[in-house]
Amino acid sequence: MSAEREAEGISLGTIGTRQGEIDKLVRKLQAKGKALPFVSEAGPGGEWLSRYLTKQHVTCWVVAPSGIPKKASERVKTDRRDARQLARLLRSGALPPVYIPSIEEEAIRDVGRAREDCLKALKAAKVRLKAFLLRHDMRSTGRANWTAAHLGWLANVVCPPPAQQIVFQEYVRAVSAPTDRWQRLEAELHALVQTWHWAPVRDAIQALRGIQFIAAVTLIAELGELNRFESPRQLMSYLGLSPSEHTAGDRRRQGGLTKTGNSHARRVLVEGAGAYRYPAKVSRHLQLRLETGPKVIQEISWKAQVRLCTRSRRVAARGKHVQQGVVAIAREMAALVWAIAREVAPTY
């Protein structure tokens, strides 16, 4: 066994990425009479390759590039070297595989990310339109932007030069196009999750203040099966909400967040954590979400409010930056999401 582990890997050359070329390689390896596992770095082709090989009863691990050990002195990177390194690490058991979502989960996640991209494009288009109006001293008489009254004012804006009017209309169209696309994607997202097998978990975590429908769907779609995390600390580490650390001897230094793992789920938690800067209160919208949930989830929701709102005040009283308190609350929210998923897990 030790001799096999120390043996050098055999290079088979460059392998194509089409399914026919992959099938040819699988048949060639299976003809040797040994069950060989495959390993691939996470990327555009990692998830579909794992699903495709799994259907053929072939083991395929997908590993995160950030989890692959690298030597500080290594200055040469080639595909052949990377393949040999992956083979050696897989043989030694030093490569933890990443979670592969199902096709349904990936579809919901893609719709959610496309919706997020639309919001970013919409925000950028609004900034460009407002900058154009500011350059030409065109000011709305209303108090708020992008309301019905403001959109009506935009419809009546006329620029004297025809060329400027064309530019203005293009900027307006650049705002309306992502708005329509965002509304279509959000409607599609609502329709997709109606029959989702993780709907009980999605509904349960909405008992937390700061997590509503879109945030709950994003969290579950991005994190997948929460039961695979053995403890809340593992989930915090996966989300990049754990502080970085450099300890040498008796000196321990902690820095900012590691910001590893899934950035979409981390963003949702950080945005929702801002709600705990205000006193504990069960709003009308939160009460409607709590009414359909079990008693244990309602108790977790209220205890979370009391605890997190108190901690937010204490962090502010110590003179810490507002964002430090928000991040601390987001870290505890991750633990609460994990706890609620554990309570609801037997029901789905």
Side-chain angles (χ1 to χ4, degrees), residues 103-117:
I103 296 178
E104 179 190 18
E105 295 167 9
E106 189 175 25
I108 296 175
R109 185 184 64 183
D110 288 342
V111 174
R113 291 184 179 182
R115 175 189 172 275
E116 183 181 338
D117 293 338

Side-chain angles (χ1 to χ4, degrees), residues 11 30 81 117 126 130 141 197 238 274 293 304 320-321 341 348:
S11 176
Q30 288 178 342
R81 283 172 174 258
D117 293 338
K126 287 180 176 180
K130 292 178 69 175
T141 57
H197 67 285
Y238 176 80
K320 297 291 186 179
H321 193 275
Y348 72 93

